[in-house]
DNA sequence: CGATGTCTTGAGCTCTGTCAACGGGCGTGG
DNA sequence: CCACGCCCGTTGACAGAGCTCAAGACATCG
């Protein structure tokens, strides 16, 4: 089911190409290349633009007063970034590229202006936001109650789901995240993530490359989702 | 700081009266009375309308496949409910009144239609959604890393903040929630919530009515927020 | 080569969930 | 009126999942 990533809310990224084409008719779109570590925007900055990855992976993180960083979102092609800045006119999070990628950006003011002439340009934004709210709810649920290994299994399964939606292979994936980042996203320490990976490997639902530990093979997605749904040695009551 | 409820994202509920008046000029608003336990909408129902409490408290919950219920949101005057239904045309959660209250409802289709003539009617929706995303992020952070007593302190402080925003007393509040519901919202068991309350009382930052345990006195809000920021006997590293 | 960052694994400890007992408020029904 | 049951809340004892601390392996880069 992949509650952590894909959830039951599907759709927004389906044909982002069409959405972009549609938007392009009414709003000035900027296209930009980014590399790993590039900051799209950071928390506290004045909000001006929304961003849509065309390729590459991005993490969105919240830094707290005491310096602790938390990953609150992971995004790829077709997602909308920066939506949290609309209300306060100031980005609430930072968005950082995890690898090379391309991104479209558009000024929110332009979008609003365009909506005066063509109200439909806002629909994808409304949908993306609604979508995000659903996802966040599912993530919360996972954070609250699921044991560590299930969270990680669910995360992997969800990640594979994202790739599948975009027509990419899911039997052999490369995570653009460190164990620390995954842990931050899932509310675990890096050690717990590592142990969960090992456990999944021992349970024969994934294989971890012995050299490059972020290369994960998932021979049978169904085995992984089976594990994620609560068959990790304990039935969840 | 009240990360759980109020967060750093303020505003949406500020003058909901003005927003409603504005909306009323373009969309048919329905006003309805609800009582404790009334269901505004439930998960899976076809999405038709958005709802805005005028008074009363509402909980939004997600039920999972295995029957487990989780509170993912608490709402009162000026919040928007049902936003998670936009993307999928189907409500993702259930919204239930916690006490008597009044609520405005408007059909989403009407809203979109109105936006053709008056694009500005969508701004409050965009802001409310953006706002919600911010809040959810802050809640996630709390769920991930904070110990139980801090979560509860933060929750209470946030709750008081919500009341304060709306001009209500904060030195003596009545929670419209059971310990179980609070726990579900915070990712804790009812026992842990109860213990946290007791601890807060022992630490002299709140007083719990000995008869009606949901009546909480908060003599000094600053003491509570101090506790919430990490002085609950242990400094958070 | 050493330095650094990432990842794994182990050992101990702590927090919170689980299970259980108990008390109080409230409604129902004798 | 009291008895009863139900729901809510508190508290204790215990066990277990995950965090902390620590050591070590491996890859990359200067």
């Amino acid at each position: 089911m992949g509650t952590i990533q894909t959830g039951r809310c599907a759709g927004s990224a389906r044909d982002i190409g069409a959405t972009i084409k549609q938007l392009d008719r009414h709003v000035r779109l900027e296209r930009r290349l980014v590399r790993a570590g590039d900051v799209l925007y950071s928390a506290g900055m004045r909000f001006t633009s929304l961003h849509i990855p065309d390729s590459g992976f991005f993490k969105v993180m919240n830094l707290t007063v005491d310096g602790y960083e938390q990953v609150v979102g992971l995004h790829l092609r077709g997602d909308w970034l920066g939506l949290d800045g609309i209300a306060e006119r100031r980005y609430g999070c930072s968005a950082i590229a995890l690898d090379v990628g391309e991104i479209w950006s558009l000024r929110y003011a332009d979008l609003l202006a365009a909506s005066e002439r063509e109200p439909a340009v806002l629909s994808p934004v409304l949908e993306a936001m609604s979508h995000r709210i659903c996802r966040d709810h599912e993530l919360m649920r996972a954070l609250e109650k699921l044991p560590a290994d299930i969270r990680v299994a669910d995360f992997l399964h969800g990640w594979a789901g994202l790739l599948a939606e975009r027509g990419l292979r899911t039997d052999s994936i490369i995570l653009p995240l460190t164990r620390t980042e995954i842990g931050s996203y899932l509310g675990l320490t890096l050690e717990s993530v590592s142990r969960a990976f090992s456990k999944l490997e021992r349970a024969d639902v994934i294989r971890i490359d012995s050299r490059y530990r972020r290369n994960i093979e998932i021979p049978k997605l169904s085995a992984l989702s089976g594990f994620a749904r609560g068959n990790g040695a304990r039935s969840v009551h």
Side-chain angles (χ1 to χ4, degrees), chain A:
Chain A
M1 207 137 287
T3 62
I4 287 183
Q5 284 287 341
T6 60
R8 276 181 299 278
C9 308
S12 97
R14 216 46 76 58
D15 47 359
I16 186 65
T19 303
I20 288 291
K21 214 171 279 177
Q22 173 73 10
L23 276 172
D24 195 33
R25 281 213 290 276
H26 302 93
V27 188
R28 199 164 62 86
L29 286 177
E30 235 171 70
R31 195 184 166 85
R32 180 168 36 137
L33 226 88
V34 296
R35 287 184 304 179
D38 283 3
V39 177
L40 287 184
Y41 55 82
S42 53
M45 263 178 60
R46 236 171 72 69
F47 165 75
T48 56
S49 304
L50 294 171
H51 311 274
I52 310 170
D54 183 24
S55 62
F57 297 96
F58 300 81
K59 67 173 175 181
V60 171
M61 37 203 315
N62 219 329
L63 4 174
T64 66
V65 239
D66 53 348
Y68 172 71
E69 294 189 340
Q70 188 196 347
V71 177
V72 295
L74 294 170
H75 301 273
L76 58 170
R77 175 172 167 78
D79 289 334
W80 288 71
L81 281 82
L83 296 169
D84 58 320
I86 292 176
E88 296 297 310
R89 308 257 148 242
R90 202 163 276 286
Y91 292 107
C93 302
S94 306
I96 296 164
L98 291 168
D99 55 358
V100 296
E102 288 170 292
I103 199 147
W104 284 296
S105 298
L106 56 95
R107 308 203 131 250
Y108 184 64
D110 290 357
L111 189 70
L112 285 185
S115 78
E116 305 257 339
R117 299 186 301 278
E118 176 55 41
V121 294
L122 284 182
S123 328
V125 183
L126 290 163
E127 278 185 30
M129 292 180 102
S130 172
H131 204 244
R132 172 118 301 276
I133 291 169
C134 286
R135 281 232 189 128
D136 288 348
H137 287 169
E138 309 222 349
L139 179 54
M140 274 184 220
R141 190 163 62 70
L143 290 176
E144 291 204 357
K145 298 265 82 173
L146 303 181
D149 44 9
I150 308 281
R151 284 189 217 187
V152 172
D154 204 10
F155 168 78
L156 279 176
H157 180 243
W159 189 271
L162 291 180
L163 298 178
E165 273 179 23
R166 287 156 181 85
L168 304 167
R169 312 182 46 170
T170 64
D171 58 337
S172 177
I173 65 185
I174 302 177
L175 296 171
L177 299 160
T178 66
R179 303 289 193 254
T180 305
E181 286 165 329
I182 296 172
S184 169
Y185 187 56
L186 299 178
L188 300 169
T189 59
L190 70 113
E191 293 95 330
S192 293
V193 174
S194 178
R195 279 186 251 268
F197 271 110
S198 301
K199 186 168 176 183
L200 289 174
E201 187 170 38
R202 280 197 301 277
D204 269 329
V205 297
I206 65 171
R207 286 210 339 103
I208 307 172
D209 189 290
S210 58
R211 294 185 109 73
Y212 306 103
R213 312 289 293 168
R214 296 188 200 176
N215 296 21
I216 310 289
E217 287 180 38
I218 309 175
K220 285 175 56 181
L221 214 53
S222 60
L224 185 55
S225 68
F227 194 103
R229 264 203 296 281
N231 326 326
R234 51 99 64 38
S235 57
V236 191
H237 148 225

